[in-house]
Amino acid sequence: MEGYGAMAKNIQSLERAAAMLRLLAGGERRLGLSDIASSLGLAKGTAHGILRTLQHEGFVEQDTASGRYQLGAELLRLGNSYLDVHELRARALVWTDDLARSSGESVHLGVLHQQGVLIVHHVFRPDDSRQVLEVGAMQPLHSTALGKVLAAYDPVAHTEAMEAERQPFTPRTVTGAEEFEGVLDLVRARGWGSDVEETWEGVAAVAAPIHDRRRMPVGAIAITGAVERVCKDGELRPELVAAVRDCARAVSRDLGARRF
């Protein structure tokens, strides 16, 4: 039961921290320790301990002159990244629906998250087959079409992919650093990335990058399907490559990117 008691206490700390952030988000911009403690009915020592932890994580900042607390930059960054993904998904909805319908295959929208690709939108293949929604799933950077595109265009994703352990999922997976850099060079030269049975046996994908108004890579779109449908004579079907690139350009234009 000791473990349960500790867990309950930790959850209580989390609730108090959340209440603190809400307090700082509303009303006055900056609040002193006494104000925060009395508003939440906490002892000053308890309030100070939580504030110090939040400060350490960048969620709260302390004004050096007055000693008062305010919301920190890290919270703003998290909010912005959520808004960016939300806007990206909203802009991509119609275009990805059209792409799935015209290609007859599944369409994924992915963004860089930690050391991988986070699937933020998934349009099912437009047939009656049983499919699993993959929104929230993580994919590797080094072997998937989405991951290669992000690693080719986003310097942060590139670093993550190079520093990670590039696991061989199939005999076709590229794991060597030099060889992988060569793959990324090819992605940049072509403007699209591929995965032909490098992550899953029998599955092929083609992806293209999405850029925002600052020409920053903010995500990638991929068509994924059975290798015998997505490829012809061992090569990705050119009409699918063109369709993915057109879709990614359309979303980029909607995000304010020029020359797409």
Side-chain angles (χ1 to χ4, degrees):
M1 289 300 286
E2 190 181 333
Y4 175 77
M7 189 172 76
K9 191 177 177 185
N10 286 342
I11 292 169
Q12 187 184 47
S13 297
L14 194 57
E15 285 172 348
R16 287 169 169 176
M20 241 172 233
L21 293 173
R22 286 195 195 98
L23 184 66
L24 289 166
E28 286 186 51
R29 208 169 118 69
R30 292 185 180 136
L31 291 171
L33 175 61
S34 300
D35 303 325
I36 294 167
S38 61
S39 294
L40 300 177
L42 298 173
K44 271 193 188 180
T46 305
H48 188 243
I50 296 169
L51 281 165
R52 275 185 63 188
T53 304
L54 289 171
Q55 197 178 346
H56 178 71
E57 294 297 330
F59 295 151
V60 162
E61 288 169 5
Q62 190 176 23
D63 179 58
T64 44
S66 66
R68 287 173 171 258
Y69 294 90
Q70 64 187 48
L71 292 180
E74 179 65 11
L75 211 57
L76 187 66
R77 190 188 69 77
L78 287 174
N80 282 342
S81 68
Y82 169 76
L83 290 173
D84 288 347
V85 167
H86 187 69
E87 186 189 2
L88 175 61
R89 189 175 173 277
R91 299 284 184 183
L93 283 176
V94 174
W95 297 110
T96 50
D97 278 354
D98 286 349
L99 182 60
R101 198 160 41 245
S102 65
S103 67
E105 300 296 344
S106 298
V107 174
H108 294 94
L109 174 66
V111 298
L112 176 67
H113 180 67
Q114 293 171 353
Q115 286 85 42
V117 183
L118 174 68
I119 304 301
V120 295
H121 185 53
H122 173 198
V123 186
F124 282 166
R125 185 170 64 254
D127 61 18
D128 296 330
S129 63
R130 190 173 176 278
Q131 298 169 69
V132 178
L133 187 67
E134 289 175 36
V135 171
M138 291 290 289
Q139 292 187 2
L141 281 170
H142 71 283
S143 63
T144 60
L146 289 169
K148 288 179 204 172
V149 164
L150 292 172
Y153 289 93
D154 183 339
V156 177
H158 178 264
T159 303
E160 297 283 10
M162 292 308 293
E163 289 180 355
E165 185 189 336
R166 289 177 296 280
Q167 192 181 334
F169 298 110
T170 76
R172 289 170 171 261
T173 312
V174 174
T175 56
E178 231 174 287
E179 202 184 348
F180 183 63
E181 285 286 17
V183 168
L184 299 185
D185 286 342
L186 185 60
V187 170
R188 283 185 287 266
R190 287 173 163 177
W192 53 274
S194 65
D195 167 8
V196 181
E197 297 189 285
E198 291 172 59
T199 312
W200 303 281
E201 298 276 4
V203 176
V206 57
I210 299 166
H211 294 84
D212 66 7
R213 61 186 65 84
R214 298 162 299 164
R215 292 191 62 80
M216 296 294 288
V218 290
I221 286 174
I223 282 175
T224 305
V227 71
E228 61 268 17
R229 292 196 309 268
V230 178
C231 296
K232 188 179 181 182
D233 302 325
E235 296 290 324
L236 284 153
R237 300 172 75 96
E239 66 271 25
L240 293 183
V241 174
V244 170
R245 295 188 74 191
D246 286 347
C247 181
R249 284 194 199 102
V251 178
S252 297
R253 278 197 301 270
D254 277 4
L255 287 169
R258 302 192 181 280
R259 289 179 290 161
F260 278 98

